[in-house]
Amino acid sequence: MLADQLGRPLRDLRISVTDRCNLRCTYCMPAEVFGADYAFLPRTELLSFEEIERLARVFVSLGVRKLRITGGEPTLRRDLPDLIARLVRIEGVDDVAMTTNGLLLPRLAPQLRAAGLHRVTVSIDSLDPDVFGRMNGLNVHPQKVLDGVEAALQAGLKVKINTVVQRGVNDEGLREFWLALRDLAPVRFIEFMDVGNHNGWNLDSVVPSGEVLARLGEEFRPVNAQYRGEVAARHVDTAGHEIGLISSVSAPFCGDCSRARLSAVGVLYTCLFAGNGTDLRAPLRAGASDEAVRALVQGVWAARRDRYSEERGEVTRARKVEMSHIGG
């Protein structure tokens, strides 16, 4: 079994398919940085579907069992169902999922499900139109995301809902948010993290997961993890409604992290907070064999020691990869 320097296996691969997005969320792609004149990647620099499939097969040969499609906003990538169909056919892949803002799911959900997509995680940070409009940077109404959630459910996709909690921004309405969505899908509350370089993160803006749980005002019991490296600590209320708490700041889970991240241009990152990665596109396009690429990935993972969230108070990084490049 391939393991890194801390004994962590390689089990999950997150694949970004674009750096573009149709929102400008303040904690990911703030509009003042990613404005109308921002230079996004030209299509020729993006990994082709053939290249993505080839790299996915290499990672699966090293132990990866779960693939997650991310962005930017992945539904902006043309012909995305074709890529899903390629990935679900790879022998050894147990699960293909996608993270999305949901805006294009009313059109795409049936095609994605027909292609073999198993699950979607949809991000929505408030049901208050004013709050959500400010957080998404473009005044998009939350109903547009909820329409996407409904479309995914109607298409037969499993759905989870993600919300990033920021003190003084959207934390006052947590109970109302939970009550409105708990019958729709499991809700996961994410502590505001210092991803990227432009989101103005500070510790005072973090609402610890324990406080989130208390604010929901229900009686919850913890649920055992389904597998090593499960990101969200799951809880259920007395009626069986599930929440997940992602506590990267208050209770880091680096010790069980089994995730690698592949950017849209083929750079391998071994941590969400990494400053540098390993270019896999260049050897692919230079004619490297699968065996050579496999040896490169194997060497990177075997040398991995990343545990940024556990070291957050001790280390600083001048630059980190933007979340819009690797999808969180």
Side-chain angles (χ1 to χ4, degrees):
M1 182 184 69
L2 177 60
D4 69 7
Q5 293 292 301
L6 302 179
R8 298 169 295 188
L10 176 59
R11 286 290 180 267
D12 306 81
L13 178 64
R14 300 190 173 196
I15 304 170
S16 173
V17 295
T18 181
D19 65 329
R20 298 172 185 267
C21 190
N22 46 3
L23 293 179
R24 289 295 180 269
C25 297
T26 54
Y27 53 80
C28 180
M29 295 179 68
E32 61 270 22
V33 176
F34 298 87
D37 58 348
Y38 185 81
F40 288 98
L41 294 167
R43 186 175 179 85
T44 54
E45 291 193 21
L46 302 179
L47 291 176
S48 68
F49 287 176
E50 292 79 8
E51 290 169 329
I52 291 173
E53 180 186 2
R54 185 178 168 196
L55 287 174
R57 289 183 181 277
V58 167
F59 277 89
V60 170
S61 76
L62 291 170
V64 162
R65 293 295 175 263
K66 296 173 61 178
L67 303 175
R68 176 172 290 276
I69 305 304
T70 68
E73 171 47 45
T75 57
L76 293 178
R77 182 72 185 258
R78 186 181 305 171
D79 299 322
L80 184 62
D82 293 345
L83 174 62
I84 299 299
R86 287 173 174 267
L87 297 178
V88 298
R89 288 196 295 264
I90 297 175
E91 186 176 354
V93 172
D94 297 330
D95 185 35
V96 179
M98 182 176 72
T99 298
T100 174
N101 60 34
L103 296 182
L104 297 182
L105 286 180
R107 175 167 59 88
L108 286 175
Q111 300 172 49
L112 292 167
R113 183 68 188 97
L117 188 69
H118 302 143
R119 301 182 292 118
V120 291
T121 298
V122 180
S123 301
I124 179 170
D125 298 315
S126 177
L127 297 182
D128 182 306
D130 292 332
V131 174
F132 185 59
R134 289 193 299 271
M135 292 187 74
N136 68 53
L138 296 178
N139 292 313
V140 172
H141 196 282
Q143 188 58 50
K144 291 186 176 295
V145 180
L146 296 179
D147 290 344
V149 171
E150 184 60 34
L153 292 170
Q154 289 295 322
L157 289 163
K158 295 181 180 180
V159 177
K160 290 182 181 177
I161 293 171
N162 274 2
T163 182
V164 175
V165 183
Q166 294 179 251
R167 192 177 302 280
V169 179
N170 64 335
D171 60 316
E172 290 301 322
L174 290 179
R175 177 169 169 77
E176 292 75 12
F177 183 88
W178 156 247
L179 292 176
L181 296 179
R182 64 182 182 180
D183 289 322
L184 197 60
V187 180
R188 307 200 305 177
F189 296 93
I190 304 173
E191 293 179 347
F192 181 36
M193 293 179 285
D194 50 330
V195 292
N197 307 286
H198 305 290
N199 68 4
W201 183 88
N202 62 75
L203 191 58
D204 292 338
S205 298
V206 177
V207 182
S209 291
E211 183 178 336
V212 170
L213 196 64
R215 288 197 190 197
L216 298 183
E218 302 284 339
E219 182 179 340
F220 290 94
R221 62 174 178 82
V223 177
N224 291 334
Q226 295 173 314
Y227 55 90
R228 181 185 177 187
E230 186 173 14
V231 172
R234 295 181 300 120
H235 297 70
V236 294
D237 67 8
T238 54
H241 300 111
E242 180 182 310
I243 67 165
L245 302 172
I246 300 178
S247 313
S248 177
V249 180
S250 68
F253 39 82
C254 300
D256 283 330
C257 179
S258 60
R259 292 173 295 285
R261 293 171 169 85
L262 186 65
S263 80
V265 296
V267 177
L268 168 62
Y269 293 93
T270 56
C271 180
L272 176 60
F273 305 95
N276 299 292
T278 301
D279 186 1
L280 301 183
R281 185 188 66 183
L284 274 188
R285 294 186 177 179
S289 66
D290 286 354
E291 291 74 17
V293 176
R294 186 178 190 274
L296 177 57
V297 173
Q298 191 169 16
V300 169
W301 191 266
R304 176 188 187 232
R305 300 187 61 86
D306 299 293
R307 54 185 192 92
Y308 177 86
S309 288
E310 293 179 349
E311 299 174 319
R312 183 177 275 109
E314 305 168 19
V315 301
T316 58
R317 286 183 178 151
R319 301 289 296 178
K320 298 190 286 289
V321 62
E322 295 296 344
M323 188 164 70
S324 58
H325 287 190
I326 56 173

